[in-house]
Amino acid sequence: MAKETAPALRITRLNKTYPGVHALRDVSLTIERGVVHAIVGENGAGKSTLMKVVAGAIAQDGGSIDVFGRPLEPGSPTRSSDAGVATIYQELTIVPEMSVLANVLLGHLPSTWGVIHRTVALEQFYRVAAVVGFTHPAAQRAGELSTAAQQLVEIMRALARGGRVVIMDEPTASLGPADVRRLHRVIDTLRTAGHSIVYVSHDLDDVLEISDTVTVMREGAIVTTKSASEWTKSSLIYAMLGGVSLETPVAAATTGTGNTPLLEVLGLRAPGVSIDRIAIRPGEIVGLAGLVGSGRSRLLRALAGADVVDSGQLLVAGRRITWPRTPHAALAAGICFAPEDRKLQALVLERTSAWNVALGQFGVAGIMRPVRESVLRSWARAFTQLVGLPEHRLANPAGTLSGGNQQKLIVSRLLSRRAKVVLLDEPTRGIDIGAKAQIFQAARRIVDGGRAIIWASSDLTEIVEHSDRIVVVANGRVVGELPRGSTVHDILTLSYAASGTGESAAA
């Protein structure tokens, strides 16, 4: 095939195996020129491994990759970049202390004998900035930019390096609606200019809106590839999960009707938070919703003893307690917390999954030092099976699990504890739709036992669908409450009215 007419990317019978895991199974896939080609699947389906092989971060065990008709040498990020492949990871690689210009041309600043040609560098910068509509000064520190603007810097870097195949890994995970629309406009511009976009995302509505073609992966293999117009959200889910039901139990009509609140907050004052009163009743799932910087996470962290509190009163099951100054004190008071950053703040990645479930409660598990893994696995199994974590994963280090399975570990830990109130910060970020369903089922199981959950999410549709009541937060204050059956529009109306803008992104 002539190189001028060859597809942007041709993947042929790729295989990749890790100890005990066949990550890629004879994967063959063609990405045409000038299209947005989405790849979807559950956590652990093989999407990330496939993208890492194409990017040269890891080498395949077998199979081949051609980029614009030329064979790609495996296991070399430099060769992949030289071939025209650029990857923008979910965890952005911005150097915050460097200027935007230096970040865009990182490693490729035009120079002679160590002397940088600033005029040439600025010409290159403004050329790619014009393509994506970037308006910030070249000299501005990258760390001062919003997440959405930093993502544009990553795209500019890809273009400056000659990237014609751009891989985007969960590009909208940290963006609100307004920023997602702006990103879509940039992607449309790149597509029109002939770039091929490989779009990896768990947001199926987003995938169907922006993509030309969608490929579904499951258990390391390609299930099928179709035009986006041939898919619906339901058919995508069916293909991803093989027909597994995603029905989530609904709350009973009597949810949250107890007379005494399980948790009551009065006069909370903390950095970025000023709450006069919040009350949560037994059997209730209460969603915290708001715009970027609304104070949702700060509120949860204050309740969990993870952040400093200036003043406030806290009542648990009607009993006034001293405001917890540490997460350990909060747990002793009956409040447990799952933070947003599961890798840095919730898990010990080098330890086994079973060890992480039992973390902090080895005595409750009846385990004496030294810790015996067999006893840990036996004890943890009762809780992990409730969230659908495969039993064989209990012996694996937590760091080797997919994001969805890592989140299941955290929820399993919460299920094992006797806490009355459970706080969840972004529990579904970056995980697939099947794992989300199992986590929501576990959440309902928790409150059906008479406990309560307060959770925050940047996905307002999830907040609406899975909350018994919604507390809308803006500028660190409660600006309204909405009953079950409310809409995303209702949340945004309250949020925009309180923030005085219609341009902020919901998150």
Side-chain angles (χ1 to χ4, degrees):
M1 180 181 292
K3 293 181 174 59
E4 293 76 14
T5 59
L9 193 64
R10 185 182 296 280
I11 298 167
T12 306
R13 301 197 67 180
L14 279 193
N15 280 277
K16 180 65 181 178
T17 302
Y18 296 103
V21 179
H22 201 160
L24 295 177
R25 304 170 182 267
D26 286 328
V27 171
S28 295
L29 182 65
T30 299
I31 309 292
E32 300 295 344
R33 300 182 185 219
V35 301
V36 178
H37 192 129
I39 299 178
V40 301
E42 290 189 270
N43 287 104
K47 308 183 301 298
S48 295
T49 301
L50 177 59
M51 295 306 100
K52 288 177 181 178
V53 170
V54 174
I58 58 177
Q60 68 266 33
D61 298 330
S64 62
I65 302 173
D66 293 333
V67 182
F68 297 105
R70 298 179 182 275
L72 180 64
E73 180 179 322
S76 172
T78 300
R79 296 293 175 87
S80 290
S81 178
D82 291 344
V85 177
T87 303
I88 301 170
Y89 294 100
Q90 181 178 355
E91 304 294 335
L92 300 180
T93 58
I94 294 296
V95 183
E97 298 304 322
M98 294 176 62
S99 69
V100 174
L101 171 65
N103 269 277
V104 169
L105 300 179
L106 188 64
H108 292 77
L109 279 166
S111 63
T112 301
W113 301 106
V115 178
I116 295 174
H117 301 304
R118 185 166 179 80
T119 300
V120 177
L122 285 171
E123 288 176 355
Q124 294 178 5
F125 173 84
Y126 288 122
R127 175 176 57 81
V128 294
V131 173
V132 303
F134 187 85
T135 58
H136 292 271
Q140 185 174 356
R141 284 180 60 253
E144 297 173 352
L145 302 178
S146 67
T147 300
Q150 289 181 356
Q151 193 169 61
L152 289 181
V153 171
E154 295 264 12
I155 296 174
M156 290 163 61
R157 182 191 295 164
L159 298 179
R161 293 182 179 181
R164 293 184 291 163
V165 177
V166 182
I167 300 171
M168 295 185 174
D169 183 18
E170 295 292 346
T172 63
S174 299
L175 303 183
D179 290 327
V180 170
R181 289 193 294 271
R182 283 190 283 269
L183 176 63
H184 282 188
R185 289 195 291 270
V186 171
I187 291 173
D188 282 335
T189 300
L190 297 179
R191 172 167 45 193
T192 301
H195 295 275
S196 299
I197 310 297
V198 182
Y199 199 85
V200 182
S201 178
H202 289 306
D203 188 335
L204 301 186
D205 293 314
D206 184 51
V207 162
L208 292 174
E209 180 178 347
I210 192 63
S211 304
D212 301 297
T213 307
V214 183
T215 292
V216 177
M217 293 188 69
R218 187 169 70 237
E219 297 179 353
I222 300 293
V223 175
T224 187
T225 297
K226 296 180 184 178
S227 167
S229 62
E230 298 180 63
W231 289 106
T232 63
K233 186 174 181 179
S234 296
S235 64
L236 274 177
I237 293 170
Y238 189 91
M240 288 167 55
L241 306 181
V244 175
S245 172
L246 295 184
E247 291 185 3
T248 302
V250 297
T254 56
T255 293
T257 58
N259 292 324
T260 302
L262 200 54
L263 181 77
E264 188 171 9
V265 178
L266 300 171
L268 170 60
R269 301 293 182 265
V273 179
S274 180
I275 304 294
D276 292 330
R277 183 178 185 269
I278 292 180
I280 314 297
R281 302 191 180 279
E284 204 175 25
I285 297 178
V286 175
L288 295 180
L291 306 179
V292 169
S294 62
R296 298 163 314 181
S297 292
R298 289 192 291 270
L299 172 55
L300 289 179
R301 292 181 62 83
L303 293 173
D307 281 351
V308 174
V309 170
D310 298 324
S311 62
Q313 298 179 32
L314 188 63
L315 288 80
V316 177
R319 183 173 62 88
R320 190 185 307 274
I321 65 169
T322 301
W323 199 285
R325 300 293 177 180
T326 66
H328 184 268
L331 184 58
I335 302 170
C336 62
F337 177 46
E340 177 180 1
D341 193 330
R342 53 181 172 259
K343 291 185 177 181
L344 291 180
Q345 298 177 343
L347 296 171
V348 182
L349 298 179
E350 64 271 18
R351 292 285 194 170
T352 67
S353 298
W355 190 95
N356 273 276
V357 174
L359 180 61
Q361 49 189 348
F362 294 122
V364 176
I367 302 162
M368 302 299 291
R369 295 179 179 176
V371 176
R372 289 187 294 155
E373 282 292 334
S374 60
V375 178
L376 278 177
R377 290 195 295 272
S378 178
W379 179 82
R381 189 181 304 119
F383 305 103
T384 55
Q385 67 184 6
L386 296 176
V387 297
L389 182 74
E391 184 175 334
H392 69 276
R393 296 292 190 189
L394 287 173
N396 296 345
T400 66
L401 302 188
S402 66
N405 282 336
Q406 287 179 345
Q407 196 66 44
K408 289 177 184 179
L409 283 186
I410 298 168
V411 175
S412 297
R413 185 193 302 160
L414 299 179
L415 286 168
S416 73
R417 289 183 167 169
R418 303 292 189 267
K420 299 179 179 67
V421 180
V422 176
L423 311 176
L424 304 174
D425 194 2
E426 297 287 356
T428 62
R429 174 168 288 177
I431 67 176
D432 66 78
I433 195 164
K436 286 181 182 181
Q438 289 169 321
I439 286 170
F440 288 131
Q441 289 164 1
R444 185 57 62 187
R445 188 178 293 114
I446 288 173
V447 299
D448 283 347
R451 296 191 275 177
I453 289 177
I454 311 174
W455 75 299
S457 174
S458 55
D459 189 327
L460 298 184
T461 300
E462 285 186 357
I463 286 283
V464 166
E465 291 178 351
H466 299 286
S467 300
D468 302 318
R469 181 162 53 92
I470 301 167
V471 174
V472 182
V473 182
N475 302 318
R477 300 174 181 272
V478 173
V479 296
E481 291 192 9
L482 298 169
R484 192 190 322 163
S486 299
T487 66
V488 171
H489 181 268
D490 295 331
I491 296 173
L492 294 178
T493 298
L494 283 173
S495 298
Y496 289 148
S499 63
T501 175
E503 294 299 320
S504 296

